Each structure stands twice: as C-alpha cells, then as structure tokens.
Amino acid sequence: MTGSISKGSAGTDIGMGQNNSPTLGSSGNTIPSNIEGDLEASVHRRKLWPFRLRPDDDDGEQDWWFASTAIPLLAATTGPAANLLSIAALVTSWRCVYTESGKDADAIGRPDPRWCIASNIASLVCGFVGNLFLLLNFTRRVRYIIALPMTIIFWYAATILLITILVIMNNEDGPHRPQETYTQGFWHAVIAACVYLFSSMMLMINMMGYFLGHYPQHFTLTDHQRTLILQTMMFFIWLGGGAAVFSRVCGWQYVDALYFCDVTILTVGFGDYSAPNDTGRGLVFPFSVGGIIMLGLMVGSIARFARELSADKVLKRHVQKQRTLTVGRAVTTSHEYGLRQEELARRPTIAILSSAKNSRAIGFEDPPAQSGAGPGVRNKGLTKRVVHTISKSKVVQRTVSRTPKVILLRQEKDRFDAMRTIQQKSNTFKRWYNLTTSVLAFGLLWCVGAAVFVVAESKSQGLSYFQALYFCYVSLLTIGYGDLSPKSNIGKPFFIVWSLVAVPTMTILISDMGDTVIASFKRGTFTLADFTVLPQKGIWRNFMENHPWLLLKLEKRAEDHAAARRIAEGLPGPLNEELSAPALTIEELAAGAPDEHSLARKLALAIRKTANDLHADPPKRYTYEEWVEFTRLIRFSSQSASEVEQTEEEEGIIEWDWIGEDSPMLADSSESEWVLDRLCESLDRHMRRQVRKMGDETLQPVGPEPPQGPEWDRSWAEKGTDT
C-alpha cells in the first residue's frame, strides 16, 4: 500500500514506504511504534466506517451546497403545502354520484368508511408532527441528529398511510363507474402523498451529506432564508384558514373554497366562483389584501434566494473559470513574452515546501533528455524549477530583483484591466443567466402544465393542447378572462398546486427581464429622449467621450482651425493650456512617493472623495491610477517613508494581485466601501503613530540628565503617564 498523510499544522509530510512502514518525509526518520499503531488503527477504522460526523460548532469548509441549503428550504415550503392538501382530503368525501347534469361540480358526495377517515386522520397527524420537528430543527430547539430523522420517519409514515388508503379504496370500495367518480378530496390525497414522499427523499439526501461529512449537523441558513420559511408557513395558514371561513359563509365544500381562495390571492379571477352574499363579499377585502401581501413577501424572498444561489455558486464559478483562463496573460515586454512562451512549453506541477510553513511553490518539470534515451524510456532525473511562492499574506510574491517601478506598474495595470474585463463580463453573464433560467422554468411549467390539463379536462371540456396552452398562459399572466377554467375534480386540485408554483415563477421572470430586456429598452428610450425631445446638458460631450476616436478627430480639427485663425491674426503660438491638471500617468506615479505630510493631507481628501462616491449610481469604479494612489495612502501609515519606497521598488505599489483571491474586485462590498474602510484604518494608524511620537517627545528630559534611582524612575513614569 502506498499513500501519504499530510499534517498541515506542522508542515511535515508523513508517507508510506514500499515496505508499508511509515516514514517522515522531511527527515526520513522512522515513526515511533505507538504512533505507527494509532495511525494504522485510524486508517483501518476509516475503511470500516466511511461516515464522518461533524459537530455542530464545526466551522470547516462546507460543500454540497444544494443539499445543505436548498433542500431544507424546499422541505420547509412543501411540508405546509402537504399538510394543507391532507386537510382538504380529510374533510371531503372521496367518492361522489353524478346527477342528471353529469358534471363533476354538481355531483353529490358519498360518505367514506370509518377506517378511511381514521387512517386519514393518522396521516394528517404524522404530517403535522413531522413538520413540527422540522420547525424545531430550524430553530435549534431539538438537535439535528434527532429532529431530522423524526421528520423523515413521520413524513414517510404519512406517505405510507395515504398510499395504503388510496390503494384499498381503489381496489375494494371504489366508485361504481360511470354513475360515480372520485372527488377532489381523493385527488388532494394523491397529490399530498406525492409531496410527502418527495420531501422525505430530499431530506434523506440532506442527512446523507451530513453523514459523509460535507457539512456540520445544522442547517446553514441565512436570516433571509429563515424568513422565507416563516413566510411560507404563514401563507399556507392564511390560505387554509380563509378556505375554512369561506366554505362556512358561502356554503361551499372546503375544496371549492380552497380553489376560490387560491384564485383570489393570485389575482387570476376566472369568475367561475364568487361570493354569493354580502358577508362573503365583505370578507374578500381583508382576505385578498392580506393574502396578496404575504404572497408578495414570499415571492420576494424566493427571488432573493434564487439570486443568492446564482451569485454563490454559478457566478463565482464563472468568475473563477475566467480568472484561471486569464491569469498570467498580462505581458508588457518582449522579454516577458519570450519567457512566457518557454513556460507554456512546460507542464505545471504543484509541490509542497516542507521548509516554508503555510506556503506552496509552483514548479515545472524539465522535459526528459533527448540524448541517450530510447523510445519509451523516461528520464528519472527530473528536477524542479521554482517559479514563485504563494503565501497566505500575498497571492503573488514577486522576485526581489530591482525591477524598474514603471515596469511593475505596467504589469499591474495589465492585470487590473484584465480583471476589470472579467468583472464586466461576469455582470453581464449573471443578468442573462438569471433570465435564461427563468425563461426555461416558465416554459417548462407552461408546456407541462398544458399537457396535464389536456388529460385532466378531457372528459369535462375536451381541451385541445393549443387551448390548454392558451389557458395556462392566461393564468400565468394572471389575466383570467374566464372563458376557460378548470372544471373537473382532478383539474382543480392540480391547478392549486401548479398555480402556486407557476405564478411566482412568472413574477421572477418579469423581475429578471427588468434587469436585461426592459433595462436595455429603458436606456434606449432615455437616450433617444436626451437627443431629441428632452435634450440634456452635456449629452454630446458624453457621447464624444464614449467614442474616443470621434472625439480625437474633432479636437484635432478644432486645433487646426484655431491655429490657422491665430496665424491669420498674426498671433502664432501654442494654444492656451487648460487650467485643470491632467490625470497622473504611470510614469509620473513611478517617479517617487510623496512625503508623509503630503500623504496625510491626501488621505483626508481621499476619505471625503470616497465617502461621496458611496451614493453614486451606478456604483463608482476607480481607474488603475486611482487605485495606485489609494494603495499608497493605505500603506504609508504602517511603514516608514524609506520602507514604502523600498517596497514599491521591489514589489510594486499595489500590494495584491488583481486576478488573485484577495482582489478587491471580488469583495462582496462595493469598491467605494472597500476603499473607505481601508482608508479609515490607515487614518487610525497614522493618528496613533502621531500620538506615540508626541508622547516620546514629551517624555524626553530637557536640560541636565536627571538623577538615577528607583524613586526618581517611579515619579518620572507617573509624570509621563499623566502627560
């Protein structure tokens, strides 16, 4: 057996030799027998027990993000929905007898047997208890390892009870067709069993991730996600409670009142059900307002969760991929280009340096020698050439050779421009990725929902697929003409579940369109208005600045005309220089760092400038030259003038890698917030240093040297403390 076990804290590699005896990689000494025995026992236990249970306070790295975060949120949403469907299945008979009209809506219910009702109650109780344990798990009132298995067990029990009732009812005491059929209560029970089963299986995936050690024993949820859970529960309580009230006031069955409440809150309003009396009409006012508010809050939380999902996983993965492709491409000199071509011909390898703690080296294996090597013979004398070392404090450690500062600045500007391009492309990718995902979800719900309604309404209405598509589209946009609406006993329960998923999806789609298509149309409208009916001051100047080639051409033409006019007037000479000072170039920035007093004054001005930039819309993005100035202001308070000059000569003015992990462009805050925080820290360090200097000057004795002794030292120390 060959393998290696790395001990990161000490930076020592422990390897297995060919004789299965552990050795120390750094010194080659043999491990003591007691450590060797513990090591072999640990490896043996890991093989026999593949699970790794992490404690609740484990702050280590977590993966399986979907299982640890998305699945609990899905379970918290589907659990109350399954409880509501179970209530509808309990209070409604499962079989009905057709009247002379032959319509499902006019059928008369037939009482269910007692065993069916008792089993239905037991299933509902199991569903409620499982949901209660899930809620206690979210609030950490009950331990994860206890609450989650109890939720899974009770929801599986509810599923088994419902499936058993459905099978027995269908085989032993089903409706006598064609005079009888199943009611909406039966189909509510079918959907509830499917939802319970789906939720239980999803939670089992979450538990499997915990047993495999992918995350600790608690749900990693943010405050917004916990708020979504509370909003979802309150929404279903409001929906179910409203259905109970309207069924009593309007004389409807509970399932019909539930359908009416769903259509009302979603603002679809088919018109097939409406309150028949003034009491019901009066209750519509508070119920509809409260339900729409809760639905809006829930949809907003779902949209925020979807944005977090795309930002945390999809967007960061996209940025990381682009950084990986871009890193190392910034070439500024022909000598660098030659070295880059040589490095591309080599294969990179990662090697751990045992002598440097918490550091790693990137090396390149030399290709095998061509002379004296036959085909298929490898060169065993491989050597490694260390290129650079990456430590925790800095992503890129430059060579200590005295590279000219202007060259370092050009290299840094290349990487800055590359990262700025990645940032702009990533923002565009994020917006269009969200829109694409919403469009796909909308299309899936639209087409699949239409197919289900074709089957469900085949007997009641005989809908074609085109008519079903029309009905689903009108429902998704909450238009609700009322010419088509679900009328069968299976169509209404499916519409309740489908609409609660489809209408929020449509809302999220409209929100994503607002960031892409609608935003582009809005910008185009404003631009057209600025140039035509509502001319804006300075619009042509901004247009010229956005098209530099046209601006340069017009400026050159204006200079030529001005020079010709001056010559004609007999006043040859250069044009008047602009009063405003031009922006500093890289060569001027590399000329030398200002003194400490100038930097302190610039620090105060920079803090005021960045504070004003916090309110900029869109958020302010600084140029590379501005970042150089900010970095000087951040660095000078922690180093002396000579140290700053030496550091800039050796490592450049920028103290991070723009494409590295510590790049300010990858921070969660805006650039203005990031810079302002660092500038305030620099100001605090500078003030502390000035206070220490003033204290040292005050404590220095004036005149003859004071006498020595314990009493004098104590009194002098007290005086210095008072000062």
Side-chain angles (χ1 to χ4, degrees):
M1 180 183 66
T2 61
S4 63
I5 302 176
S6 176
K7 186 177 180 182
S9 60
T12 306
D13 295 338
I14 302 177
M16 290 291 186
Q18 296 181 356
N19 56 353
N20 295 336
S21 61
T23 59
L24 286 175
S26 58
S27 60
N29 298 329
T30 304
I31 297 179
S33 58
N34 57 344
I35 301 180
E36 179 182 355
D38 295 341
L39 182 63
E40 293 179 352
S42 176
V43 174
H44 182 67
R45 284 195 303 269
R46 184 60 185 270
K47 287 185 176 181
L48 295 179
W49 179 258
F51 303 117
R52 184 169 62 94
L53 306 182
R54 297 170 60 174
D56 184 58
D57 56 350
D58 189 354
D59 296 332
E61 183 179 358
Q62 301 181 18
D63 49 7
W64 281 32
W65 185 90
F66 183 83
S68 63
T69 303
I71 286 180
L73 288 177
L74 288 175
T77 304
T78 57
N83 295 152
L84 180 60
L85 296 174
S86 297
I87 294 175
L90 175 62
V91 300
T92 308
S93 60
W94 287 14
R95 300 162 299 176
C96 62
V97 181
Y98 283 118
T99 60
E100 294 181 358
S101 63
K103 297 180 179 179
D104 291 348
D106 299 332
I108 301 174
R110 195 168 65 133
D112 295 330
R114 292 184 177 180
W115 63 266
C116 178
I117 297 176
S119 301
N120 221 335
I121 293 174
S123 173
L124 180 60
V125 170
C126 291
F128 270 119
V129 174
N131 210 9
L132 178 61
F133 273 105
L134 183 65
L135 181 61
L136 294 175
N137 196 355
F138 285 133
T139 57
R140 298 193 181 184
R141 300 293 182 181
V142 181
R143 292 180 58 191
Y144 172 91
I145 198 61
I146 298 176
L148 189 63
M150 295 301 294
T151 300
I152 295 175
I153 291 173
F154 278 107
W155 279 358
Y156 266 126
T159 304
I160 294 173
L161 286 172
L162 284 177
I163 292 177
T164 303
I165 302 171
L166 294 171
V167 172
I168 295 177
M169 177 67 73
N170 186 65
N171 295 334
E172 302 296 335
D173 198 6
H176 303 287
R177 301 180 185 277
Q179 293 82 12
E180 297 180 353
T181 187
Y182 285 119
T183 64
Q184 297 184 47
F186 177 85
W187 296 110
H188 275 94
V190 172
I191 299 175
C194 296
V195 175
Y196 277 134
L197 180 62
F198 171 77
S199 304
S200 303
M201 295 176 64
M202 296 293 285
L203 288 180
M204 287 189 66
I205 297 176
N206 178 272
M207 177 167 282
M208 182 180 65
Y210 162 67
F211 278 113
L212 295 178
H214 292 284
Y215 38 80
Q217 52 174 306
H218 60 78
F219 294 130
T220 56
L221 302 178
T222 62
D223 293 337
H224 294 298
Q225 294 166 357
R226 297 181 187 276
T227 303
L228 173 60
I229 296 173
L230 178 61
Q231 292 169 350
T232 303
M233 292 184 177
M234 293 301 297
F235 174 78
F236 283 108
I237 292 174
W238 186 265
L239 183 63
V245 173
F246 280 103
S247 65
R248 182 66 179 271
V249 172
C250 300
W252 296 327
Q253 291 186 357
Y254 183 81
V255 288
D256 292 331
L258 183 62
Y259 167 77
F260 167 76
C261 293
D262 176 72
V263 172
T264 301
I265 291 179
L266 297 179
T267 66
V268 179
F270 291 123
D272 50 352
Y273 282 86
S274 59
N277 49 49
D278 291 338
T279 304
R281 296 186 185 101
L283 291 174
V284 168
F285 291 111
F287 175 78
S288 59
V289 172
I292 292 173
I293 291 175
M294 290 184 183
L295 179 65
L297 293 174
M298 188 175 66
V299 171
S301 299
I302 293 175
R304 186 185 298 110
F305 170 68
R307 287 193 296 267
E308 291 177 356
L309 173 62
S310 62
D312 290 343
K313 297 302 170 185
V314 179
L315 182 60
K316 288 186 177 180
R317 189 181 298 114
H318 176 76
V319 173
Q320 179 66 25
K321 181 179 179 180
Q322 295 298 320
R323 287 175 50 246
T324 304
L325 295 175
T326 308
V327 65
R329 292 181 182 175
V331 179
T332 54
T333 62
S334 59
H335 178 66
E336 263 192 307
Y337 181 79
L339 295 178
R340 184 66 47 79
Q341 296 301 318
E342 294 179 3
E343 292 176 359
L344 291 177
R346 301 176 181 269
R347 180 167 57 90
T349 59
I350 304 296
I352 303 298
L353 298 179
S354 58
S355 59
K357 183 178 179 181
N358 294 330
S359 63
R360 57 193 175 119
I362 298 181
F364 294 88
E365 293 184 355
D366 292 336
Q370 300 295 330
S371 60
V377 179
R378 293 190 179 188
N379 183 10
K380 298 182 179 180
L382 294 176
T383 60
K384 290 185 177 181
R385 176 174 56 87
V386 175
V387 177
H388 59 274
T389 302
I390 300 179
S391 62
K392 288 185 177 180
S393 60
K394 293 184 179 180
V395 176
V396 176
Q397 180 71 31
R398 302 178 180 86
T399 56
V400 190
S401 60
R402 289 283 182 174
T403 306
K405 189 187 298 185
V406 64
I407 300 299
L408 293 177
L409 287 175
R410 287 175 179 173
Q411 295 173 357
E412 291 291 349
K413 192 175 188 305
D414 289 339
R415 305 180 75 86
F416 175 84
D417 295 337
M419 190 60 198
R420 185 66 82 191
T421 303
I422 293 174
Q423 194 178 36
Q424 295 173 352
K425 291 182 178 179
S426 299
N427 291 334
T428 304
F429 171 81
K430 176 184 176 181
R431 292 193 298 269
W432 289 101
Y433 173 83
N434 293 337
L435 178 62
T436 304
T437 305
S438 300
V439 169
L440 292 177
F442 170 81
L444 182 64
L445 288 171
W446 184 22
C447 298
V448 174
V452 174
F453 281 114
V454 168
V455 178
E457 301 293 330
S458 59
K459 184 179 179 181
S460 299
Q461 304 182 66
L463 294 179
S464 64
Y465 188 70
F466 175 77
Q467 291 175 331
L469 284 175
Y470 166 78
F471 163 72
C472 292
Y473 187 79
V474 170
S475 302
L476 282 170
L477 295 180
T478 67
I479 298 174
Y481 290 122
D483 52 345
L484 293 177
S485 61
K487 299 183 182 303
S488 64
N489 289 337
I490 185 176
K492 292 178 182 177
F494 177 75
F495 179 81
I496 293 174
V497 178
W498 176 82
S499 61
L500 290 176
V501 177
V503 173
T505 302
M506 182 65 192
T507 306
I508 296 175
L509 172 61
I510 295 175
S511 176
D512 292 335
M513 291 180 63
D515 297 333
T516 52
V517 179
I518 299 177
S520 301
F521 180 78
K522 183 178 179 181
R523 287 194 300 268
T525 304
F526 285 166
T527 302
L528 181 62
D530 291 338
F531 283 99
T532 55
V533 295
L534 297 174
Q536 184 180 3
K537 182 180 180 180
I539 186 64
W540 289 104
R541 181 67 182 181
N542 295 333
F543 177 80
M544 294 299 177
E545 292 178 352
N546 294 331
H547 300 79
W549 62 273
L550 183 60
L551 178 62
L552 293 176
K553 184 177 180 180
L554 293 178
E555 289 180 348
K556 182 66 169 56
R557 184 178 179 181
E559 290 177 1
D560 294 341
H561 283 293
R565 185 172 62 254
R566 291 171 62 86
I567 294 175
E569 294 176 356
L571 298 173
L575 297 175
N576 294 331
E577 297 181 357
E578 297 182 358
L579 298 177
S580 59
L584 296 178
T585 62
I586 293 180
E587 290 74 10
E588 293 173 345
L589 291 172
D595 57 1
E596 183 176 352
H597 299 289
S598 300
L599 290 175
R601 181 178 179 276
K602 289 184 177 181
L603 177 60
L605 297 177
I607 291 176
R608 185 175 63 179
K609 179 179 181 300
T610 52
N612 294 331
D613 293 339
L614 292 176
H615 307 286
D617 186 23
K620 175 70 175 179
R621 290 187 175 181
Y622 299 108
T623 63
Y624 175 75
E625 289 76 14
E626 290 176 318
W627 276 105
V628 171
E629 289 290 332
F630 289 146
T631 309
R632 275 180 173 171
L633 299 177
I634 295 171
R635 177 182 288 174
F636 91 99
S637 60
S638 59
Q639 297 177 343
S640 62
S642 58
E643 292 174 346
V644 170
E645 185 68 22
Q646 182 180 2
T647 304
E648 292 181 358
E649 290 291 342
E650 295 178 354
E651 301 181 5
I653 297 180
I654 302 298
E655 59 179 3
W656 52 77
D657 184 15
W658 291 110
I659 316 180
E661 293 290 344
D662 61 346
S663 173
M665 297 184 188
L666 297 179
D668 295 332
S669 58
S670 63
E671 294 186 10
S672 301
E673 294 174 345
W674 194 93
V675 171
L676 184 60
D677 289 341
R678 271 60 183 182
L679 291 178
C680 291
E681 294 173 359
S682 179
L683 178 61
D684 180 68
R685 290 193 301 267
H686 177 69
M687 296 302 297
R688 290 176 180 272
R689 188 166 64 180
Q690 296 300 320
V691 169
R692 287 195 300 269
K693 288 182 178 180
M694 294 177 61
D696 295 340
E697 294 176 358
T698 304
L699 292 177
Q700 289 181 359
V702 181
E705 183 178 357
Q708 304 296 328
E711 297 181 356
W712 178 263
D713 292 341
R714 187 163 48 252
S715 62
W716 183 262
E718 293 175 355
K719 182 182 300 184
T721 304
D722 296 337
T723 305

